[in-house]
Each structure stands twice: as C-alpha cells, then as structure tokens.
Amino acid sequence: MSAWRRSPAAPGVGIGTLYRHFPTRDAVLAAVYRREVQQMAEAAARLLTSEQPGEALHEWMRLFVDYILTKKVIAPALGGGAGEIYAASGLSIIDAITLLVDRARAAGDVRPDTEPSDILRALIGFTYGASGPGWEASARRLIDILMDGLRAPRQGA
C-alpha cells in the first residue's frame, strides 16, 4: 500500500490532470494570482451586500493587505511574466475600489472628495516593505488611521 492514502473525500486529481491544465509552474502561479485578484474584485460586491458602504470599504482595505502578501510571494516566482499579469489584473482592483468608494461617498460615509486612486496609492504605500517584521499589523493600523481621516464630517460637529 502506498504511503500516501487518499481520503474518501479527496478528489482523484493526479499530476497528469494538473499538467493538462497548467503545463508549467509559471502557469500554476499565474492562475493562483488571477484567482486572488478575482476574489478581491468579488469581495467588493459581497461586502456591499452585508455591510454599510463605509465599513465595506474599510474591510476591503484590510483584505488588500492579504492580497499584497500573496502578490509579494508570487511576484519573484513569476519572473518576467509578472508585469503582464499585474497589468491585466490591475483593472479589476481599480473597478472594485471605485465601486466601494462611489457607494461610500453616496452614503455619506466618506468625504465627498475621496478618490479611489488616492486610496489605492495609500494602500500600496502601506504595504511597502512587506518583507519586514510586523508589516501586516502596521499596514492594518495605517488603514484604520486612513479610514478615520476619510470619514465624512457629521452635521453639527
């Protein structure tokens, strides 16, 4: 009997199936990255169904930290093909953050002059140095500080 046992619930996917779908290691990594981008884009709409727009934006920004972590791990492995993959996926991220900001502005949850590109630029800056110790906690603190500054002033305040 093999040292590896398949559990009753495990799919019967062998290495041949894997290579039919992903002929190279780079193809697997590119598919993983594209899936991460798709999940970030889908998270925007999903969060808007369960949270107030401002909180949906805040939560999505927290998820962005995890997305950057995945990107930082995959980028070196992709080598020269990373630029093309990032360019194609960037539009999905921009669409997601634009949807969230537009809804948060319309709801009065963030300042009316809030721009998606400004938030994205800040998020990228917050995740700079993603290989250093404690960067994730720091990025999340900075997101909370940014969100405090984005909140629309309350009437009479």
mmCIF file of all heavy atoms in Angstrom, residues 11-12 15-16 20 28 41 51 59 62 85 90 92 98-100 112-114 118 121 123 138 147 153 155 157:
data_model
loop_
_atom_site.group_PDB
_atom_site.id
_atom_site.type_symbol
_atom_site.label_atom_id
_atom_site.label_comp_id
_atom_site.label_asym_id
_atom_site.label_seq_id
_atom_site.Cartn_x
_atom_site.Cartn_y
_atom_site.Cartn_z
ATOM 1 N N PRO A 11 -10.447 14.480 -4.016
ATOM 2 C CA PRO A 11 -10.694 14.296 -5.443
ATOM 3 C C PRO A 11 -9.586 13.454 -6.059
ATOM 4 O O PRO A 11 -8.458 13.460 -5.596
ATOM 5 C CB PRO A 11 -10.686 15.722 -5.997
ATOM 6 C CG PRO A 11 -9.890 16.514 -5.030
ATOM 7 C CD PRO A 11 -10.089 15.839 -3.688
ATOM 8 N N GLY A 12 -9.893 12.740 -7.092
ATOM 9 C CA GLY A 12 -8.907 11.912 -7.769
ATOM 10 C C GLY A 12 -8.171 12.684 -8.830
ATOM 11 O O GLY A 12 -8.295 12.404 -10.008
ATOM 12 N N ILE A 15 -1.176 14.070 -11.161
ATOM 13 C CA ILE A 15 -0.232 15.026 -11.744
ATOM 14 C C ILE A 15 -0.519 15.251 -13.227
ATOM 15 O O ILE A 15 -0.337 16.348 -13.750
ATOM 16 C CB ILE A 15 1.223 14.582 -11.490
ATOM 17 C CG1 ILE A 15 2.206 15.723 -11.762
ATOM 18 C CG2 ILE A 15 1.592 13.373 -12.322
ATOM 19 C CD1 ILE A 15 2.187 16.780 -10.722
ATOM 20 N N GLY A 16 -1.020 14.217 -13.910
ATOM 21 C CA GLY A 16 -1.362 14.365 -15.331
ATOM 22 C C GLY A 16 -2.467 15.392 -15.546
ATOM 23 O O GLY A 16 -2.404 16.205 -16.466
ATOM 24 N N ARG A 20 -2.186 18.964 -17.579
ATOM 25 C CA ARG A 20 -3.066 19.258 -18.722
ATOM 26 C C ARG A 20 -3.648 20.667 -18.597
ATOM 27 O O ARG A 20 -3.859 21.354 -19.582
ATOM 28 C CB ARG A 20 -4.191 18.234 -18.820
ATOM 29 C CG ARG A 20 -3.824 17.006 -19.611
ATOM 30 C CD ARG A 20 -5.025 16.152 -19.951
ATOM 31 N NE ARG A 20 -5.772 15.685 -18.801
ATOM 32 C CZ ARG A 20 -5.435 14.649 -18.029
ATOM 33 N NH1 ARG A 20 -4.341 13.972 -18.284
ATOM 34 N NH2 ARG A 20 -6.198 14.285 -17.013
ATOM 35 N N VAL A 28 0.736 27.693 -13.229
ATOM 36 C CA VAL A 28 0.051 27.459 -11.950
ATOM 37 C C VAL A 28 0.073 28.736 -11.120
ATOM 38 O O VAL A 28 -0.949 29.165 -10.576
ATOM 39 C CB VAL A 28 0.705 26.295 -11.169
ATOM 40 C CG1 VAL A 28 0.129 26.196 -9.762
ATOM 41 C CG2 VAL A 28 0.545 24.992 -11.910
ATOM 42 N N ALA A 41 -11.854 41.335 -6.271
ATOM 43 C CA ALA A 41 -12.910 42.029 -7.011
ATOM 44 C C ALA A 41 -14.288 41.591 -6.519
ATOM 45 O O ALA A 41 -15.169 42.428 -6.302
ATOM 46 C CB ALA A 41 -12.760 41.768 -8.506
ATOM 47 N N GLU A 51 -22.527 44.870 4.548
ATOM 48 C CA GLU A 51 -22.023 45.963 5.385
ATOM 49 C C GLU A 51 -22.504 47.306 4.834
ATOM 50 O O GLU A 51 -22.842 47.411 3.661
ATOM 51 C CB GLU A 51 -20.482 45.973 5.385
ATOM 52 C CG GLU A 51 -19.820 44.683 5.791
ATOM 53 C CD GLU A 51 -19.879 44.416 7.267
ATOM 54 O OE1 GLU A 51 -20.133 45.365 8.037
ATOM 55 O OE2 GLU A 51 -19.702 43.256 7.665
ATOM 56 N N GLU A 59 -13.282 47.236 5.315
ATOM 57 C CA GLU A 59 -12.975 45.796 5.341
ATOM 58 C C GLU A 59 -12.213 45.378 4.093
ATOM 59 O O GLU A 59 -11.282 44.581 4.146
ATOM 60 C CB GLU A 59 -14.265 44.982 5.483
ATOM 61 C CG GLU A 59 -14.040 43.501 5.629
ATOM 62 C CD GLU A 59 -13.195 43.124 6.836
ATOM 63 O OE1 GLU A 59 -13.254 43.823 7.869
ATOM 64 O OE2 GLU A 59 -12.451 42.120 6.743
ATOM 65 N N ARG A 62 -8.637 46.181 4.416
ATOM 66 C CA ARG A 62 -7.944 45.195 5.255
ATOM 67 C C ARG A 62 -7.600 43.952 4.437
ATOM 68 O O ARG A 62 -6.521 43.379 4.590
ATOM 69 C CB ARG A 62 -8.801 44.824 6.457
ATOM 70 C CG ARG A 62 -8.948 45.929 7.471
ATOM 71 C CD ARG A 62 -9.798 45.448 8.642
ATOM 72 N NE ARG A 62 -10.171 46.536 9.509
ATOM 73 C CZ ARG A 62 -11.422 46.878 9.777
ATOM 74 N NH1 ARG A 62 -12.438 46.205 9.271
ATOM 75 N NH2 ARG A 62 -11.674 47.877 10.578
ATOM 76 N N ILE A 85 0.774 40.094 -16.210
ATOM 77 C CA ILE A 85 -0.302 39.592 -15.344
ATOM 78 C C ILE A 85 -0.813 40.710 -14.452
ATOM 79 O O ILE A 85 -2.020 40.879 -14.273
ATOM 80 C CB ILE A 85 0.188 38.389 -14.522
ATOM 81 C CG1 ILE A 85 0.448 37.206 -15.451
ATOM 82 C CG2 ILE A 85 -0.821 38.011 -13.448
ATOM 83 C CD1 ILE A 85 1.194 36.074 -14.817
ATOM 84 N N GLY A 90 -4.848 44.637 -12.732
ATOM 85 C CA GLY A 90 -4.991 45.948 -12.099
ATOM 86 C C GLY A 90 -6.341 46.584 -12.331
ATOM 87 O O GLY A 90 -6.887 47.251 -11.451
ATOM 88 N N SER A 92 -9.226 45.124 -12.530
ATOM 89 C CA SER A 92 -10.210 44.536 -11.616
ATOM 90 C C SER A 92 -10.131 45.172 -10.238
ATOM 91 O O SER A 92 -11.155 45.438 -9.601
ATOM 92 C CB SER A 92 -9.995 43.030 -11.495
ATOM 93 O OG SER A 92 -10.229 42.392 -12.716
ATOM 94 N N THR A 98 -13.218 51.453 -6.913
ATOM 95 C CA THR A 98 -14.084 52.530 -7.413
ATOM 96 C C THR A 98 -15.528 52.290 -6.992
ATOM 97 O O THR A 98 -16.212 53.214 -6.535
ATOM 98 C CB THR A 98 -13.956 52.655 -8.940
ATOM 99 O OG1 THR A 98 -12.598 52.970 -9.263
ATOM 100 C CG2 THR A 98 -14.872 53.736 -9.483
ATOM 101 N N LEU A 99 -15.989 51.065 -7.126
ATOM 102 C CA LEU A 99 -17.346 50.717 -6.693
ATOM 103 C C LEU A 99 -17.529 51.028 -5.205
ATOM 104 O O LEU A 99 -18.501 51.675 -4.804
ATOM 105 C CB LEU A 99 -17.616 49.232 -6.953
ATOM 106 C CG LEU A 99 -18.917 48.673 -6.369
ATOM 107 C CD1 LEU A 99 -20.129 49.298 -7.051
ATOM 108 C CD2 LEU A 99 -18.935 47.150 -6.501
ATOM 109 N N LEU A 100 -16.578 50.607 -4.396
ATOM 110 C CA LEU A 100 -16.678 50.824 -2.953
ATOM 111 C C LEU A 100 -16.653 52.308 -2.593
ATOM 112 O O LEU A 100 -17.460 52.766 -1.776
ATOM 113 C CB LEU A 100 -15.538 50.090 -2.238
ATOM 114 C CG LEU A 100 -15.661 48.569 -2.230
ATOM 115 C CD1 LEU A 100 -14.312 47.927 -1.955
ATOM 116 C CD2 LEU A 100 -16.699 48.132 -1.218
ATOM 117 N N PRO A 112 -16.687 63.674 0.489
ATOM 118 C CA PRO A 112 -17.070 63.723 -0.926
ATOM 119 C C PRO A 112 -15.880 63.846 -1.875
ATOM 120 O O PRO A 112 -15.994 63.512 -3.053
ATOM 121 C CB PRO A 112 -17.977 64.952 -1.029
ATOM 122 C CG PRO A 112 -17.882 65.674 0.250
ATOM 123 C CD PRO A 112 -17.246 64.773 1.263
ATOM 124 N N ASP A 113 -14.729 64.295 -1.378
ATOM 125 C CA ASP A 113 -13.562 64.428 -2.246
ATOM 126 C C ASP A 113 -12.678 63.175 -2.243
ATOM 127 O O ASP A 113 -11.584 63.178 -2.793
ATOM 128 C CB ASP A 113 -12.739 65.656 -1.862
ATOM 129 C CG ASP A 113 -12.182 65.599 -0.448
ATOM 130 O OD1 ASP A 113 -12.660 64.775 0.367
ATOM 131 O OD2 ASP A 113 -11.275 66.398 -0.133
ATOM 132 N N THR A 114 -13.151 62.081 -1.663
ATOM 133 C CA THR A 114 -12.405 60.827 -1.632
ATOM 134 C C THR A 114 -12.302 60.264 -3.043
ATOM 135 O O THR A 114 -13.300 60.121 -3.739
ATOM 136 C CB THR A 114 -13.116 59.804 -0.717
ATOM 137 O OG1 THR A 114 -13.221 60.363 0.593
ATOM 138 C CG2 THR A 114 -12.353 58.498 -0.654
ATOM 139 N N ASP A 118 -6.492 57.761 -4.896
ATOM 140 C CA ASP A 118 -5.768 58.198 -3.701
ATOM 141 C C ASP A 118 -5.690 57.072 -2.669
ATOM 142 O O ASP A 118 -4.653 56.845 -2.051
ATOM 143 C CB ASP A 118 -6.443 59.415 -3.064
ATOM 144 C CG ASP A 118 -6.395 60.649 -3.950
ATOM 145 O OD1 ASP A 118 -5.519 60.714 -4.852
ATOM 146 O OD2 ASP A 118 -7.233 61.542 -3.753
ATOM 147 N N ARG A 121 -3.309 54.355 -3.879
ATOM 148 C CA ARG A 121 -1.922 54.809 -3.715
ATOM 149 C C ARG A 121 -1.501 54.682 -2.250
ATOM 150 O O ARG A 121 -0.391 54.233 -1.939
ATOM 151 C CB ARG A 121 -1.799 56.254 -4.200
ATOM 152 C CG ARG A 121 -0.381 56.692 -4.427
ATOM 153 C CD ARG A 121 -0.289 58.068 -5.092
ATOM 154 N NE ARG A 121 -0.957 58.094 -6.384
ATOM 155 C CZ ARG A 121 -2.025 58.861 -6.662
ATOM 156 N NH1 ARG A 121 -2.525 59.666 -5.760
ATOM 157 N NH2 ARG A 121 -2.567 58.843 -7.845
ATOM 158 N N LEU A 123 -2.786 52.606 0.010
ATOM 159 C CA LEU A 123 -2.689 51.183 0.342
ATOM 160 C C LEU A 123 -1.385 50.577 -0.143
ATOM 161 O O LEU A 123 -0.755 49.780 0.559
ATOM 162 C CB LEU A 123 -3.869 50.419 -0.252
ATOM 163 C CG LEU A 123 -5.231 50.684 0.364
ATOM 164 C CD1 LEU A 123 -6.328 49.995 -0.445
ATOM 165 C CD2 LEU A 123 -5.268 50.255 1.815
ATOM 166 N N SER A 138 1.262 46.820 11.027
ATOM 167 C CA SER A 138 1.449 48.239 10.733
ATOM 168 C C SER A 138 0.518 48.690 9.611
ATOM 169 O O SER A 138 -0.128 49.743 9.708
ATOM 170 C CB SER A 138 2.909 48.498 10.345
ATOM 171 O OG SER A 138 3.082 49.822 9.916
ATOM 172 N N MET A 147 -8.908 55.389 7.308
ATOM 173 C CA MET A 147 -10.373 55.361 7.328
ATOM 174 C C MET A 147 -10.919 56.436 8.257
ATOM 175 O O MET A 147 -11.920 57.080 7.928
ATOM 176 C CB MET A 147 -10.860 53.970 7.741
ATOM 177 C CG MET A 147 -12.296 53.728 7.414
ATOM 178 S SD MET A 147 -12.586 53.772 5.635
ATOM 179 C CE MET A 147 -14.306 54.236 5.639
ATOM 180 N N PRO A 153 -17.377 64.434 7.744
ATOM 181 C CA PRO A 153 -17.737 65.110 8.992
ATOM 182 C C PRO A 153 -19.245 65.025 9.228
ATOM 183 O O PRO A 153 -20.036 65.110 8.289
ATOM 184 C CB PRO A 153 -17.293 66.563 8.782
ATOM 185 C CG PRO A 153 -16.816 66.663 7.389
ATOM 186 C CD PRO A 153 -16.844 65.323 6.753
ATOM 187 N N GLN A 155 -22.877 66.260 10.573
ATOM 188 C CA GLN A 155 -23.552 67.564 10.650
ATOM 189 C C GLN A 155 -23.507 68.079 12.085
ATOM 190 O O GLN A 155 -23.761 67.341 13.028
ATOM 191 C CB GLN A 155 -25.016 67.420 10.204
ATOM 192 C CG GLN A 155 -25.176 67.017 8.759
ATOM 193 C CD GLN A 155 -24.659 68.063 7.793
ATOM 194 O OE1 GLN A 155 -24.655 69.255 8.099
ATOM 195 N NE2 GLN A 155 -24.212 67.642 6.633
ATOM 196 N N ALA A 157 -20.954 68.913 13.760
ATOM 197 C CA ALA A 157 -19.732 68.565 14.501
ATOM 198 C C ALA A 157 -18.644 69.561 14.269
ATOM 199 O O ALA A 157 -18.601 70.280 13.356
ATOM 200 C CB ALA A 157 -19.265 67.179 14.085
#
